[in-house]
Amino acid sequence: MTSETTAGRRAHAATDPWGRLNPRLILVNLSVVAAPLALYGATHAVTGGEINLQVLITLGSFLITCLVMAGISLMRLLTTRYLLTDDRIELRKGLLFRSHRSVPVDRIRSVDLTANPLHRVFGLTSLEIGTGEHGESAGAGLSLDGISKKDADELRRQLIERRSAGRGLTVDETDGPIAEMDWAWLRYAPLTIWGVGGVFVAVGTVYRTLYEMKIDPLELGIVKDIEDRFGSVPLWFGILVTVLVIVIIGVIGSTATFIEGWSGYRLEREDGGMFRVRRGMLVTRSVTIEERRLRGVEVAEPLLLRWAGGARLKAVASGLGNDEENSSRSRLTPPVPHALALAVAADVLAEKQSPTALAELAPHPRAALRRRVNLALGTAALTAALLAVPGLWLTPVLVHTGWITGLVLLPILLAYAFDAYRNLGSAIQGRYLVARSGTFARRTVALQREGIIGWSITRSAFQRRAGLLTLGATTAAGTGVYKVRDIAVSDGLALADRAVPQVLAQFIERRPGRG
Amino acid sequence: MVRNDELRLRPPRNRVESRAIGWWTLQSSLFALPLPIVFGVLYLFIPPARFVFVWAFFVTLVPGILYMAVMPLWRYRVHRWETTDTAVYAASGWLWQRWRVVPLSRIQTVDTMRGPLQQLFGLSGVTVTSASASGAVKINGLDHRVAAEMVEQLTRSTQATPGDAT
């Protein structure tokens, strides 16, 4: 390959072939230290020059922490060096604990670029190379924390080029992106349940920070004012307003999260069989997933999003890191219209139609419905009992609250139970094992049959009595196991046997004739 | 028709050692007994509060004893293992039961593991890992010799199988 040799020669011709982190990282470090100093200044101004010991200690320790962080970062800047040769990338770092890692280019499974706002001000970015090893800790990959954006893009391009050169994969640049940001999707943004939770987290953080700075938030003028007004209106009105305010802030919060996370979203196919997801407004992220490591897709539909006809698409791929990393790096689309999610799934898997789109997933036996109904009845009864039983001794009000709560909960929980049962389904669709379950967050997973590396069958005491089992297909990709829940024993084993022939068959007994 | 056949998972061929019952009993006693013992001691030494501690003693002791009596025997009935030319097959659990199958071609490592309690009973455990993040297949309560043989056999046959096991 000509490009390979010229690139190689270029690397050797330079006086120092080793690349380093960008010196602008020093500026980043300085601005980190600036934060506590600015805070000190602000506090000084606000309190009119009277700074008590508590504040001084808080800010002082904050400053020291920042200084230590800056020092570590500076050390990293001075000691980190990397070198890309024809077939491997080498990384040296550390002063006291020196490390030298060398990774063959064809072992690289992912190249991520992440830039936080501070980095972006100085035109820097972080590059992380994933080798997809499961056994090692999260930091197993190679990371270059703070190289210039130009260098990062160039290094990423070269890495992928070399990988594909080694594989003999051709580069096709004519294809457009698979999906691109459409601001009409913003309508799905408020439909994540995290918005409301985020409000409490934010309020808690603000309260805590003010409290630490010796300002009692409950004594502030605004809060006092609100408290007075709350006292002067009827209780139900107060509660209604509070709920409304929380929901509104939640909607704003989740919309903001959506805008921050998905601005500039673009999913495209790249050289050498790679997918690249680019997104983010303040923190820009670029995740590259190798097509060969893609083992399927997951269509996730949280309840509210499902009602609005939306869905999110995730990749089921190996080499995306541990559970936490996997959950953010496997995202292929933001919440989008369901049909679009399926179209993207089909495109990504190079199939005519998304395997998850199959209407005729085989339903699971009625016993699965019975389990869910029993769970609903049990939960309603337990909630009622928890309120009512203490009421027998304390006050009849609790008893009434108990049975009323139970009665109100019952139809809601039963509706969930029926919905959960309706959502259960499984099938084999061409190269894929497809399984669907869940009601609050319905997930439809399509997993490549050749990606299944074992079976894990679980049965609780209830399932054994009901003749059900949960069939877990273990895989190297994604979360490691994908489950077909509450399927009849015989159907589940038949499904597993058809999905991956020759594995389970030797452990299955057949008794002819079921009628 | 084949599709109308009633399918059933047959249990793996080999039971674990019966000594495993002793091991599980000892293990469960470490969870179940400390609390009632503490309440028993308190009962003896603080006479004025005896009416509380006598209740606490029995409330913690009875479930503990039941657990110690039921769990090991039940586990012994369930825990089984088998290796064939193509796969490892293991059953475990008691209330929640789990059957796991890993084809030999997908095995990454095979280790033996012996905790202090297991050693006391002359037992050994074999851990078979695959590339899945869902956890390894563990077969506990084997005789040392059986475990060593199994590891050797599995290592030999996994080396003979090509592929990167993902």
Side-chain angles (χ1 to χ4, degrees):
Chain A
M1 294 270 157
T2 46
S3 72
E4 201 181 323
T5 45
T6 47
R9 212 177 300 132
R10 206 188 315 140
H12 290 298
T15 44
D16 184 8
W18 289 82
R20 288 170 179 278
L21 299 185
N22 196 287
R24 278 187 301 236
L25 207 53
I26 297 174
L27 298 175
V28 175
N29 294 338
L30 285 181
S31 46
V32 167
V33 181
L37 293 178
L39 204 58
Y40 176 80
T43 321
H44 201 85
V46 167
T47 54
E50 278 183 46
I51 290 192
N52 62 27
L53 192 61
Q54 177 95 28
V55 174
L56 212 58
I57 289 173
T58 312
L59 285 178
S61 47
F62 188 31
L63 179 66
I64 289 170
T65 315
C66 286
L67 276 175
V68 169
M69 272 163 54
I72 291 172
S73 177
L74 195 66
M75 201 57 79
R76 202 187 296 142
L77 167 65
L78 293 176
T79 57
T80 304
R81 289 179 301 158
Y82 64 91
L83 177 67
L84 180 65
T85 64
D86 284 349
D87 58 348
R88 48 180 56 231
I89 178 158
E90 296 189 45
L91 180 73
R92 288 172 189 272
K93 62 162 80 171
L95 184 69
L96 294 176
F97 297 92
R98 293 199 184 173
S99 75
H100 178 194
R101 293 203 58 183
S102 166
V103 174
V105 169
D106 58 355
R107 282 289 159 80
I108 293 172
R109 295 189 183 177
S110 63
V111 184
D112 291 6
L113 303 178
T114 314
N116 62 37
L118 205 52
H119 276 166
R120 290 183 62 196
V121 169
F122 298 103
L124 297 175
T125 189
S126 297
L127 180 134
E128 192 166 339
I129 295 167
T131 53
E133 288 158 37
H134 260 304
E136 291 182 42
S137 58
L142 277 74
S143 69
L144 289 171
D145 203 358
I147 56 179
S148 78
K149 196 164 171 347
K150 197 166 66 61
D151 285 355
D153 281 335
E154 176 65 15
L155 186 58
R156 181 183 166 282
R157 201 185 54 72
Q158 286 189 9
L159 280 172
I160 288 171
E161 221 168 58
R162 272 163 216 220
R163 259 193 73 266
S164 42
R167 294 250 163 78
L169 292 167
T170 48
V171 178
D172 184 6
E173 283 174 0
T174 52
D175 285 355
I178 299 171
E180 241 177 331
M181 188 62 189
D182 177 350
W183 284 105
W185 300 341
L186 199 59
R187 67 179 186 274
Y188 296 119
L191 302 177
T192 51
I193 47 168
W194 305 117
V196 173
V199 175
F200 290 109
V201 174
V203 169
T205 313
V206 169
Y207 181 87
R208 202 64 224 162
T209 315
L210 288 175
Y211 188 83
E212 285 299 321
M213 297 183 75
K214 286 285 160 197
I215 302 166
D216 191 345
L218 297 182
E219 296 298 320
L220 283 180
I222 312 170
V223 181
K224 274 268 181 226
D225 195 37
I226 292 173
E227 218 174 294
D228 287 343
R229 277 161 203 253
F230 202 90
S232 64
V233 296
L235 184 64
W236 65 267
F237 186 74
I239 291 175
L240 194 73
V241 169
T242 314
V243 168
L244 213 64
V245 166
I246 288 176
V247 167
I248 288 171
I249 299 177
V251 165
I252 293 171
S254 48
T255 308
T257 313
F258 181 93
I259 294 171
E260 200 288 311
W262 292 99
S263 292
Y265 162 72
R266 198 177 154 91
L267 167 65
E268 58 200 337
R269 204 176 240 109
E270 282 211 330
D271 314 356
M274 306 287 263
F275 293 109
R276 185 180 192 187
V277 182
R278 268 185 286 188
R279 61 192 184 92
M281 187 168 77
L282 298 176
V283 179
T284 55
R285 312 160 182 86
S286 151
V287 176
T288 313
I289 301 171
E290 194 181 350
E291 197 167 357
R292 210 166 55 98
R293 300 285 165 191
L294 193 70
R295 288 281 176 256
V297 291
E298 177 182 319
V299 178
E301 301 158 277
L303 195 61
L304 290 174
L305 192 57
R306 176 148 59 98
W307 284 344
R312 284 178 308 168
L313 188 71
K314 297 179 98 180
V316 175
S318 60
L320 292 183
N322 59 28
D323 273 1
E324 199 183 324
E325 292 168 344
N326 183 66
S327 88
S328 85
R329 291 169 73 194
S330 63
R331 289 176 199 173
L332 289 179
T333 71
V336 296
H338 189 253
L340 181 70
L342 294 186
V344 172
D347 196 339
V348 164
L349 295 172
E351 302 281 338
K352 276 202 196 66
Q353 195 200 1
S354 170
T356 61
L358 198 66
E360 61 271 21
L361 287 183
H364 290 184
R366 302 292 286 181
L369 174 62
R370 249 188 328 270
R371 274 196 83 195
R372 279 157 183 74
V373 168
N374 285 344
L375 188 68
L377 293 177
T379 312
L382 194 70
T383 318
L386 277 179
L387 285 168
V389 170
L392 291 178
W393 283 277
L394 298 172
T395 154
V397 177
L398 265 184
V399 179
H400 292 303
T401 328
W403 68 259
I404 292 171
T405 313
L407 274 189
V408 171
L409 270 182
L410 193 63
I412 300 175
L413 291 177
L414 279 179
Y416 281 136
F418 277 93
D419 184 53
Y421 172 69
R422 224 182 13 252
N423 288 340
L424 274 183
S426 53
I428 286 175
Q429 164 78 347
R431 298 163 59 207
Y432 301 89
L433 172 68
V434 183
R436 187 169 61 200
S437 69
T439 172
F440 296 108
R442 183 168 84 175
R443 294 169 198 285
T444 316
V445 174
L447 183 65
Q448 267 175 24
R449 286 155 58 190
E450 65 257 45
I452 298 172
I453 60 170
W455 296 103
S456 167
I457 293 165
T458 51
R459 301 183 75 189
S460 67
F462 297 111
Q463 281 180 311
R464 291 200 294 275
R465 217 174 47 196
L468 300 174
L469 60 77
T470 292
L471 177 71
T474 57
T475 165
T479 56
V481 63
Y482 290 92
K483 288 174 179 167
V484 180
R485 289 175 195 280
D486 286 336
I487 189 169
V489 170
S490 194
D491 297 342
L493 295 176
L495 187 74
D497 190 31
R498 272 203 301 144
V500 189
Q502 307 302 329
V503 173
L504 210 56
Q506 52 189 325
F507 307 121
I508 293 177
E509 287 174 344
R510 287 168 194 274
R511 270 181 301 178
R514 190 170 32 167
Chain B
M1 248 179 79
V2 186
R3 290 204 49 154
N4 278 344
D5 282 1
E6 184 93 36
L7 304 190
R8 211 174 68 94
L9 208 55
R10 71 165 171 76
R13 293 207 192 289
N14 312 304
R15 274 179 192 275
V16 298
E17 295 293 320
S18 55
R19 292 186 304 239
I21 299 176
W23 169 51
W24 283 318
T25 312
L26 183 62
Q27 209 178 28
S28 56
S29 72
L30 294 182
F31 291 108
L33 293 185
L35 212 56
I37 289 175
V38 167
F39 286 127
V41 170
L42 288 173
Y43 172 83
L44 289 178
F45 287 96
I46 313 178
R50 277 191 176 170
F51 68 98
V52 177
F53 291 126
V54 74
W55 278 106
F57 177 72
F58 283 110
V59 165
T60 51
L61 184 71
V62 172
I65 294 288
L66 275 179
Y67 176 64
M68 282 173 62
V70 173
M71 186 276 281
L73 288 171
W74 198 337
R75 267 193 195 282
Y76 180 66
R77 281 181 50 202
V78 178
H79 278 240
R80 283 162 167 272
W81 62 276
E82 179 177 345
T83 57
T84 68
D85 295 341
T86 52
V88 177
Y89 178 31
S92 62
W94 55 299
L95 274 175
W96 269 265
Q97 298 177 2
R98 194 171 193 202
W99 292 261
R100 302 194 55 169
V101 178
V102 182
L104 292 192
S105 58
R106 307 295 197 171
I107 291 177
Q108 286 193 322
T109 61
V110 186
D111 311 322
T112 49
M113 180 198 54
R114 301 167 62 187
L117 292 187
Q118 265 189 317
Q119 288 190 36
L120 210 62
F121 288 90
L123 295 171
S124 197
V126 173
T127 308
V128 179
T129 60
S130 65
S132 165
S134 69
V137 177
K138 289 179 182 150
I139 307 170
N140 281 319
L142 300 175
D143 188 73
H144 289 321
R145 227 165 5 84
V146 178
E149 268 170 34
M150 187 170 150
V151 170
E152 202 201 328
Q153 186 218 329
L154 286 179
T155 314
R156 224 179 314 118
S157 33
T158 46
Q159 272 168 359
T161 340
D164 74 340
T166 56

